[in-house]
Amino acid sequence: MLILYLLAIFLSAALLFLVQPMAAKLVLPLLGGTPAVWTTCMLFFQVLLLAGYLYGHLTDKYLKPRLQVIVHVLVMLAAAASLPIALPAAAQDASGIIGRLPVQIAFSVWLLAILGMTVGAPFFVVSTTGPLLQRWFSRTGHSHAKDPYFLYSASNAGSMIGLAAYPLSFEPFLGVRAQGWTWSIGYGVFALLAALCGVMAIRRGLGMQGGPLIEVKPADEPATVLPWRRKLRWLALATVPSSLMLGVTLQVSTDLASMPLLWIVPLGLYLLTFILAFSPRMRISTGSLGFALVLLAPATIATMMLGLKGPLGVLLALHFVTFFIAALMCHRLLADERPAPEHLTTFYLIMAAGGVLGGIFNSLVAPVAFNNVYEYPIALAGALLLRPATSLFLGKGKPKAVDAPAAETSAQSAAESATPSVQLPWMTIAVRRAILPLAMLAIMVAVGVFCARRDWQRQIGLELAWALEPWLRVALPLLIMVFAIRRPIQFACCFMVLSASAYFVDPSSFSKLIYQERSFFGVLRITEQFNGAWRTLSHGTTNHGSQNFTSEEVRRAPMTYYYPTGPLGRVFAAIEGEPRDKSIAVVGLGTGSVAAYANPGDRYTFYEIDSAVVNIATGKGRSQPYFTYLKECLGDVQVILADGRLGIQSHAQDGEYGVIVLDAFSSDAIPVHLMTKEAFELYLRKLMPDGLLLVHVSNRHFELAPVVARLAKELGCVSHVSQDPRLSDEEKERGKQPSRWMVIARNARAVPAALTERDGHYPEIVAGARAPLWTDDYSNVLEVMKFD
């Protein structure tokens, strides 16, 4: 019987984490590569998970056990009617709802409706399994029925398997339609196992009349009522790890490395903490975990204060280990405070609500309220605040018996009555608790003023001042924090002061941060180098363009990947004066560097999905823009705020453009929907007969040239590739960066001879037999990943 329950719970969890990326991939070609798609999808699944837990709680509370089984079997059968997973016909037309609601609201409402019609019913059913089957098991009379929480480890193990299975087993070998059918078969197996679990529960423990024959609680234990304070603590312990998981993912992607599939690591660690925390073999106390956290959390922030970017492996490990310890401590505290089985569904419902709150804070509130990833240190401070008060290796945190609140309360009351205490005024207590954080704040302000005043530094010598700066900013505050290590509230406040210094003080002496903005796409930064002579726009670790302001001539010249002697510049030089040079479309705006190639009478249309990038490039809201490429463009410029694929589809006429520049691949993450067969068919329709498709394939983690070459071959086109040779010192000083571009044309005659002649820089590339063909139904980023 135990094996049956383990299999059902394990399979349901695996199906939960398989369907989430599957559903998101289904809607991606329709809605574009905006993070709002992923944010809305994540919010949809978190809310539906909460609804599933609420269903389990209400059925357990109001229905007799026998009726619970019958109702759940009927619900599973009803959800099966919506299978297999596939987009409904309504997914092709959102014009009706968009016409009646504002665009942003209509977008979210339409997406939520499509997700509900596509995967809503089966996901809801699968999400109910964990708490419901554990509650049924607690009534079976099995030797482990009094503490069924160990089954939660099986649930999270299934989640980890499902999480790893999609990119490793499903996506590489199955198209989206085949994935839907495979998942539907798995759902059928799960439904059969869940029904068998219900039958087994009725036969073993529930009796013919629906009343339990086995009483789980000891006879002398009275019915317990959960206090609200305990429920709120559960909610906090579930919210902090959820927020921290999203925060650490965005933090390392923004400031360290935007690597493919990086989100899998913190999510896998998050699930692993559940497995360990609810395992009966877990022997590490929460006190030990809390002590480790007070060492790791300040060390993590210290690396950010010093502006360290390497060794990359060490820094990534530090962030992920800190997150793992914090999440494990919170989840272990949850496991230690778990109630008796009669409150099992309430416990899981509150845990699910905490996950939703963490997701809402990071996905919806933080991008609007913050201009940087401030939710990361806030979540770390929350974990420090929740740690046991004596977080030492010999401190608190040993596992407690299941649901012993009465005994714990009585013991605490006895201890308080035996030890006389003096009640201090609340103002006195507040002042005592604020002394260390205020002292730290004063020191950080003084250090910040010292670092900003070069005249003060010259009095002791600049070299000595620069050598003392990191010690004053880091070592001194850390020393103060040692005195608060036994006081969670004071320590958490000191940690927030330390974090503020890390985020608001720029440690770089080479560049000066002059502007920062956050959108759903991440954090955008504009920095100045060489005393304002050079400005750079960066998105995380990716350069999105620079401009040199030393003279009018160099100010008008494009830099970085768009340098005149680079692959892109050679193409524009080869077609200058031709009719196809008069109408250009560019997917991806950046600083607007490509506009520097426009001549009088030319028409350049930029498609950009991020409104923050548009505002920066156009100077909206400013008397003088940060970058002047668009303002000083000699041709006519139009900027359309839209996803590149969807924007070209809806705004461009067939045969309108002479050149389409796809510049959405210079980042470390690929918008896959822009590189499918269906997308390239669209681009070719919008090009003139002799038009050119230029694709920027520079990437640190993916080898994209074979993908583009295979698409060209599939569509009967020719493809050529060019990469900068080794740059000269003069080119580096002028701001040129190496880049790799590809030219796609319908036939060889359309490719300028200057690019393909004997001494040209664009040799033809032909896709090999093993080159992947990406479509809206199939794509796999792992097969083009660079592992060297």
Side-chain angles (χ1 to χ4, degrees):
M1 180 182 68
L2 179 59
I3 298 298
L4 186 65
Y5 275 86
L6 286 171
L7 286 176
I9 292 175
F10 178 89
L11 182 57
S12 68
L15 291 173
L16 274 177
F17 276 82
L18 275 173
V19 75
Q20 295 182 39
M22 189 187 312
K25 190 170 183 177
L26 272 172
V27 301
L28 191 63
L30 297 176
L31 300 174
T34 166
V37 174
W38 299 99
T39 300
T40 308
C41 287
M42 182 62 68
L43 183 60
F44 171 82
F45 290 122
Q46 286 179 321
V47 171
L48 209 58
L49 181 67
L50 177 61
Y53 281 16
L54 180 61
Y55 162 87
H57 174 70
L58 294 178
T59 54
D60 178 66
K61 185 176 182 180
Y62 294 108
L63 299 182
K64 292 184 178 181
R66 175 186 291 274
L67 189 56
Q68 292 178 27
V69 176
I70 297 174
V71 169
H72 195 60
V73 170
L74 293 176
V75 170
M76 290 190 294
L77 291 174
S82 64
L83 299 175
I85 294 176
L87 284 175
Q92 305 299 326
D93 185 14
S95 58
I97 190 171
I98 290 178
R100 295 191 298 268
L101 294 173
V103 175
Q104 292 183 344
I105 299 177
F107 171 83
S108 299
V109 171
W110 183 77
L111 176 55
L112 291 173
I114 294 302
L115 288 172
M117 290 185 287
T118 305
V119 298
F123 184 90
F124 170 79
V125 170
V126 178
S127 68
T128 66
T129 302
L132 195 60
L133 264 63
Q134 289 182 52
R135 183 65 176 128
W136 290 355
F137 179 77
S138 69
R139 294 189 172 111
T140 60
H142 192 275
S143 59
H144 295 291
K146 292 185 178 182
D147 188 11
Y149 291 95
F150 71 94
L151 293 172
Y152 194 56
S153 297
S155 173
N156 286 285
S159 301
M160 289 193 68
I161 296 296
L163 177 66
Y166 187 80
L168 298 178
S169 301
F170 266 56
E171 193 177 33
F173 305 108
L174 300 174
V176 175
R177 296 181 185 87
Q179 292 174 19
W181 278 104
T182 304
W183 194 92
S184 301
I185 295 173
Y187 178 86
V189 176
F190 148 75
L192 178 61
L193 291 174
L196 290 176
C197 287
V199 173
M200 188 69 67
I202 292 176
R203 289 184 175 180
R204 294 290 300 270
L206 302 186
M208 298 302 295
Q209 302 301 321
L213 298 180
I214 306 297
E215 182 65 28
V216 177
K217 296 188 300 180
D220 58 346
E221 183 178 341
T224 58
V225 176
L226 296 174
W228 277 104
R229 184 174 181 180
R230 191 178 183 189
K231 293 179 181 179
L232 290 176
R233 178 169 169 81
W234 290 347
L235 187 67
L237 289 171
T239 301
V240 168
S242 174
S243 174
L244 192 55
M245 175 190 66
L246 299 173
V248 71
T249 304
L250 185 57
Q251 177 65 42
V252 298
S253 299
T254 300
D255 283 342
L256 294 180
S258 179
M259 299 173 64
L261 303 178
L262 186 65
W263 58 272
I264 288 181
V265 177
L267 183 53
L269 292 175
Y270 178 76
L271 297 174
L272 181 60
T273 60
F274 277 114
I275 297 174
L276 296 177
F278 285 85
S279 172
R281 299 181 180 180
M282 178 69 176
R283 292 293 180 264
I284 303 178
S285 69
T286 53
S288 300
L289 294 170
F291 181 77
L293 184 61
V294 300
L295 299 179
L296 290 170
T300 301
I301 296 298
T303 63
M304 297 163 57
M305 295 176 66
L306 296 174
L308 300 181
K309 302 298 181 183
L312 181 59
V314 175
L315 293 178
L316 287 175
L318 178 60
H319 282 276
F320 288 148
V321 170
T322 302
F323 156 68
F324 177 77
I325 295 297
L328 182 58
M329 182 196 72
C330 292
H331 291 156
R332 185 57 185 165
L333 287 169
L334 274 172
D336 288 349
E337 298 178 16
R338 62 192 185 275
E342 65 184 77
H343 298 298
L344 183 146
T345 56
T346 302
F347 180 67
Y348 283 129
L349 180 65
I350 293 174
M351 286 179 59
V356 171
L357 287 178
I360 290 176
F361 176 66
N362 284 65
S363 301
L364 301 181
V365 177
V368 177
F370 305 144
N371 70 346
N372 207 334
V373 195
Y374 301 133
E375 65 269 25
Y376 179 48
I378 290 175
L380 279 175
L384 290 169
L385 194 63
L386 292 169
R387 69 185 175 92
T390 53
S391 293
L392 298 173
F393 283 106
L394 298 179
K396 296 180 182 178
K398 297 180 180 180
K400 298 180 292 187
V402 177
D403 199 25
E408 183 182 342
T409 304
S410 61
Q412 183 178 356
S413 301
E416 290 177 353
S417 60
T419 305
S421 60
V422 178
Q423 294 293 332
L424 297 176
W426 67 270
M427 183 66 72
T428 304
I429 297 175
V431 170
R432 287 187 176 184
R433 290 179 175 179
I435 287 177
L436 284 177
L438 290 176
M440 234 183 114
L441 179 61
I443 291 175
M444 300 302 287
V445 171
V447 171
V449 173
F450 173 77
C451 295
R453 295 294 298 270
R454 294 300 183 193
D455 53 337
W456 293 1
Q457 296 176 20
R458 291 190 184 95
Q459 295 181 9
I460 63 172
L462 288 177
E463 292 185 1
L464 178 60
W466 291 342
L468 288 175
E469 182 176 335
W471 292 99
L472 292 174
R473 290 183 52 212
V474 179
L476 191 57
L478 291 179
L479 181 62
I480 295 176
M481 293 179 69
V482 172
F483 296 98
I485 198 169
R486 289 179 177 270
R487 302 176 178 88
I489 296 178
Q490 289 94 323
F491 192 89
C493 292
C494 291
F495 177 81
M496 286 303 299
V497 174
L498 187 72
S499 302
S501 174
Y503 279 91
F504 290 105
V505 180
D506 187 7
S508 174
S509 58
F510 172 73
S511 62
K512 177 184 178 182
L513 180 66
I514 62 172
Y515 182 78
Q516 182 171 272
E517 182 176 355
R518 178 174 175 177
S519 67
F520 283 108
F521 298 85
V523 179
L524 293 167
R525 297 187 179 101
I526 300 177
T527 54
E528 284 186 347
Q529 298 83 27
F530 308 114
N531 295 322
W534 196 327
R535 287 178 185 170
T536 299
L537 173 64
S538 61
H539 180 186
T541 59
T542 302
N543 185 328
H544 280 280
S546 300
Q547 190 170 14
N548 192 331
F549 292 88
T550 53
S551 67
E552 182 178 356
E553 179 183 359
V554 298
R555 189 180 70 241
R556 292 179 178 270
M559 298 171 60
T560 63
Y561 322 114
Y562 318 101
Y563 202 77
T565 61
L568 181 69
R570 289 193 289 269
V571 173
F572 278 108
I575 65 173
E576 186 174 3
E578 298 182 9
R580 55 183 170 179
D581 185 36
K582 299 300 182 181
S583 180
I584 309 293
V586 184
V587 177
L589 177 60
T591 58
S593 303
V594 180
Y597 288 104
N599 294 309
D602 294 350
R603 182 167 54 89
Y604 276 55
T605 304
F606 289 88
Y607 295 92
E608 173 57 51
I609 199 171
D610 192 348
S611 60
V613 174
V614 173
N615 294 338
I616 289 173
T618 60
K620 183 178 181 180
R622 288 179 52 85
S623 57
Q624 290 294 330
Y626 290 108
F627 302 94
T628 61
Y629 287 121
L630 296 183
K631 180 181 179 181
E632 298 178 345
C633 177
L634 299 179
D636 296 328
V637 176
Q638 181 183 14
V639 179
I640 297 177
L641 182 64
D643 172 79
R645 177 173 170 177
L646 300 178
I648 288 178
Q649 181 177 355
S650 59
H651 289 86
Q653 302 295 324
D654 290 350
E656 178 177 348
Y657 298 122
V659 177
I660 295 179
V661 181
L662 290 183
D663 187 29
F665 313 118
S666 59
S667 177
D668 296 314
I670 313 175
V672 174
H673 70 292
L674 297 180
M675 295 193 66
T676 64
K677 179 183 176 182
E678 294 81 356
F680 271 53
E681 288 174 340
L682 170 68
Y683 306 147
L684 291 176
R685 286 201 309 270
K686 303 302 180 181
L687 283 171
M688 300 175 182
D690 62 345
L692 301 177
L693 176 62
L694 306 183
V695 186
H696 192 182
V697 293
S698 304
N699 200 286
R700 284 176 283 188
H701 300 293
F702 296 105
E703 182 57 61
L704 300 176
V707 177
V708 177
R710 176 62 189 278
L711 290 169
K713 180 180 179 181
E714 188 72 17
L715 298 175
C717 299
V718 295
S719 57
H720 296 257
V721 63
S722 178
Q723 184 167 352
D724 275 316
R726 181 175 299 179
L727 303 185
S728 64
D729 292 339
E730 181 181 358
E731 288 176 325
K732 293 179 181 178
E733 292 176 358
R734 289 181 175 269
K736 181 180 180 180
Q737 292 187 7
S739 61
R740 194 181 191 193
W741 292 79
M742 294 187 67
V743 174
I744 312 298
R746 289 187 174 90
N747 52 66
R749 297 187 303 274
V751 182
L755 301 179
T756 58
E757 61 188 9
R758 182 175 180 180
D759 295 330
H761 297 280
Y762 270 92
E764 185 174 3
I765 178 174
V766 180
R770 301 181 61 182
L773 176 62
W774 286 2
T775 66
D776 287 347
D777 184 66
Y778 172 82
S779 62
N780 177 26
V781 297
L782 290 179
E783 61 188 344
V784 295
M785 187 181 296
K786 300 176 183 178
F787 292 98
D788 52 347

